[in-house]
Amino acid sequence: MKKLFLLFAVATMSLSIYSCRETTEEKTEDAIESAGEDVENAAEEAGNEIEEVGNEIEAGAEEVEQEMEEEVNEDENI
């Protein structure tokens, strides 16, 4: 009877450890996927920010170019 009880206890513990391992693996996979999505989203946002800054720099450069042309035109008219 003792052997049967010990066998049942060992079998139960083995199953519980196996179940925990599967749950841990699933949680790890989910965490890795989530981290990958977060990195992807952050990279996309960074790309959008860089594009916006590039557009602002381009607009600023065009303004400076127009101001310089106006200054040159004013100097030529004097």
Side-chain angles (χ1 to χ4, degrees), residues 45-73:
E45 288 177 17
N48 291 341
E49 292 293 325
I50 290 171
E51 187 175 336
E52 286 179 22
V53 168
N55 290 340
E56 290 175 9
I57 291 172
E58 188 176 324
E62 288 175 3
E63 286 179 27
V64 169
E65 184 180 359
Q66 287 176 351
E67 289 176 7
M68 290 184 71
E69 286 178 5
E70 289 174 5
E71 289 289 327
V72 169
N73 287 340

Side-chain angles (χ1 to χ4, degrees), residues 3-54:
K3 288 181 182 180
L4 184 61
F5 178 74
L6 287 175
L7 181 62
F8 179 73
V10 170
T12 304
M13 289 185 67
S14 297
L15 288 175
S16 68
I17 290 172
Y18 185 74
S19 295
C20 290
R21 184 180 61 120
E22 285 184 358
T23 303
T24 303
E25 286 176 2
E26 290 172 359
K27 287 181 181 178
T28 303
E29 288 175 6
D30 290 344
I32 290 171
E33 288 176 11
S34 177
E37 290 172 1
D38 290 346
V39 168
E40 194 174 302
N41 290 339
E44 188 175 319
E45 288 177 17
N48 291 341
E49 292 293 325
I50 290 171
E51 187 175 336
E52 286 179 22
V53 168

